[in-house]
Amino acid sequence: MLKIENLHATVDGKQILNGLNLTIPSGEIHAIMGPNGSGKSTLSYVLAGREGYEVTEGSVTFGEVDLLAMEPEERAVAGVFLAFQAPVELPGVGNANFLRTALNAVRRAKGEAEIDAIQFLKLARARMKVLNMPDDMLKRPVNVGFSGGEKKRNEMLQMALLSPKLALLDETDSGLDIDALKLVSDTVNSLRGPDFSALVITHYQRLLTHIVPDRVHVLSAGRIVKSGGPELAHELEASGYGAIQDAAA
Amino acid sequence: MAAVTETIEAVQSVTESGYKWGFETDIEMDFAPKGLNEDIVRFISAKKKEPAWLLEWRLKAYRHWLTMEVPHWAAVSHPPIDFQDAFYYAAPKQGPKSLDEVDPELLKTYAKLGIPLKEQAILAGVEGAGDSPSEGGRMPIAVDAVFDSVSVATSYKERLAKDGIVFCAISEAVQTHPELVQQYLGSVVPQGDNFYAALNSAVFTDGSFVYIPKGVKCPMELSTYFRINAKSTGQFERTLIIADEGSTVSYLEGCTAPMRDENQLHAAVVELVALDDASIKYSTVQNWYPGDAEGKGGIYNFVTKRAACRGKRSKVSWTQVETGSAITWKYPSCILIGDDSVGEFYSVAITNNRQQADTGTKMFHIGQRTRSTIVSKGISAGHGQNTYRGLVKISPKASGARNFTQCDSLLIGDQCGAHTVPYIENRCMTAKVEHEATTSRIAEDQLFYCRSRGLTQEDAVGMIVNGFCREVLKELPMEFAVEAQKLLQISLEGSVG
Ligand SMILES: Nc1ncnc2c1ncn2[C@@H]1O[C@H](COP(=O)(O)OP(=O)(O)OP(=O)(O)O)[C@@H](O)[C@H]1O
Ligand SMILES: [Mg+2]
């Protein structure tokens, strides 16, 4: 499904990713852990196509296609979804309007009929219930005045509605209370299936007890330095990154 | 189907190749000779079979105009206008008396414009379309359409007449309600008020007239569509709205013009009078041809709009969405005379490519406890220049007066400009005046966020800009808000990336 080979990327001329290799087969969920500043968010932005994140070497294949050749919106409608570490506020833009526009963009790309406001509200409300979000969050401007945890839940609402093929979750668990963590995990787990894969970026093993990953990778200084099964997350929690970084150096 | 949906659909059908209203209609026209002199003024007056007092009124304006100079204080620049090189009167040759007599070519034009004229209701199988108060539960909209210099059709007239409401072409009102016209014409914007108002007073050809009797709440939106079609014509329409005691009315004007590589002049005057407890809501969606990307062609939109809140507790609310015109120069104002009267101004002005806009409002607080609110949203893209110019003037007698002004500018790209020129003259100790201003850019992270959800760059810009303008757009009558949103997005096409 997703194949990253020898990926090098710079931001503002600064080398951040240094020959990263990673393959996520369809249906699998992989976790990435790693120290602050190791390049996790950078990787997610490169995959989503953010301007200013320049790929200097390497390739990324998504299904059969060259992901790096696509515009961000093309990647989105092809099924890539990035849940932001810091979701962006859009003053004056109603959440419902935003979500429905996004959903219809994706549906158009799939050759499906656009969805009207009434059908949309039904769908959205059902998903919001699962995430324990109050209805009025649909009326409010996107992320404006949302608490940290509410913003993260709003990202999950978007993900659930757009039902992507590849979800990139950048520290979606940070700032969530214990109950919300459970709800968010349920949402991710509900999407699990043979056509869904995910890359879950997190600092905490706790998330991975809810969303049990197929593989865990450690990112350090812009490359994967260690990979393993779910147990790797436990090891890290116990011993920190120091030992791995030393071994890799 | 409600007539309104037609409008919205017409706008929705708009795709991405720029100005969609740039078609020209092939209709036999009746022109006055080019140029301007007393004979032209007499010609216009005679064409309209006007009473002597009105001819005198026009001539007085014309003579005054001759003594005046083109204003140059606005932050706009253009080559000098040759006032002798334009036609001051152009009318479709077939003089239509009612909708049924309207030239089908004209109706086609309006259909293209998405104007909900009677024929669309007929097509939809509505019986007595011009006379039915409500279709499908939606509020109907009465439309007056002004084509170049002449008002061609006023729908729903009979329905409105039941409530004693007069809604017709001003030239018709001169014949049917001369006493009202004579009493109020020029009472808010005097003939010699400014250069363009004087010119308008001399040569105005048509426009709408509205009178809402005491205590009547107008049961539908009133609407006028203006269109400049003929080449080298100026459009000088004059609108007069009088809301008698305790009455309410909501009025909307929409404007388009064909694409031409010459500049065309539009110098309108709008006068509003609100008596005790009356309320007028005046909304404008202005989409005159803005000129091409290099600044060739486009409408010079030099407009004087003013409201007199004469009555106690009267209220006037201006809402404008200005997306078109090469140059916009207009300051819809409120003279708050009656105690406790209220003035509001909600504005969105977009300048893209080489467009220039110098717009804002003036609020004159004269009565006690008068209140005004100003919300201005300026959006500049391309090489566009956008100026908010406002005046809040509080007289010594206006005790307890209050004003709140908010001016926000949004810049797209780095070749454009936004300027805010707020004047405040407060001569009253107990008055309170507040002003807030912000300037921002569309942030890269906002655009990326939208695109990462599947929105194209243009949809993303449109969405963010609409969000920025929300406070103003929500003041528009519901049916037109959708139209305005589309327009905003279309106007900004090609401005990013
Ligand atoms: N515009 C920029 N200019 C220079 N350096 C940058 C820029 N953007 C990011 N960086 C640097 O790139 C490195 C990787 O950042 P990134 O956000 O990918 O880290 P991360 O692994 O997600 O960290 P965290 O766990 O704190 O979220 C950091 O050292 C950061 O300072
Ligand atoms: Mg990060």
Side-chain angles (χ1 to χ4, degrees), chain B residues 194-256:
Chain B
N194 67 70
F195 184 83
Y196 294 107
L199 178 61
N200 174 287
S201 300
V203 302
F204 77 87
T205 37
D206 232 321
S208 294
F209 175 85
V210 176
Y211 172 77
I212 314 288
K214 277 185 192 165
V216 171
K217 310 247 175 283
C218 186
M220 60 184 83
E221 299 281 340
L222 302 184
S223 167
T224 300
Y225 274 81
F226 294 108
R227 176 165 176 85
I228 299 176
N229 189 64
K231 225 171 169 164
S232 306
T233 47
Q235 186 164 21
F236 304 94
E237 83 272 357
R238 183 124 196 156
T239 295
L240 176 58
I241 299 178
I242 303 143
D244 213 327
E245 291 170 17
S247 70
T248 323
V249 63
S250 170
Y251 180 92
L252 182 123
E253 60 170 358
C255 323
T256 55

Side-chain angles (χ1 to χ4, degrees), chain A residues 48 50 71-73 76 81-82 84 88-93 98 101-102 105 143 155 158, chain B residues 444-457 459 463-464 466-468 470 485:
Chain A
R50 186 165 193 165
E71 295 292 332
E73 59 269 32
F81 180 90
L82 168 60
F84 283 57
V88 179
E89 300 185 359
L90 302 176
V93 178
F98 179 70
T101 308
N143 294 326
E155 294 289 284
Q158 296 180 23
Chain B
E444 180 275 329
D445 64 345
Q446 292 179 322
L447 277 180
F448 175 61
Y449 190 65
C450 293
R451 295 178 75 191
S452 78
R453 298 300 181 250
L455 276 67
T456 62
Q457 177 100 334
D459 286 345
M463 186 152 272
I464 293 166
N466 272 302
F468 172 75
R470 211 186 74 89
Q485 283 180 25

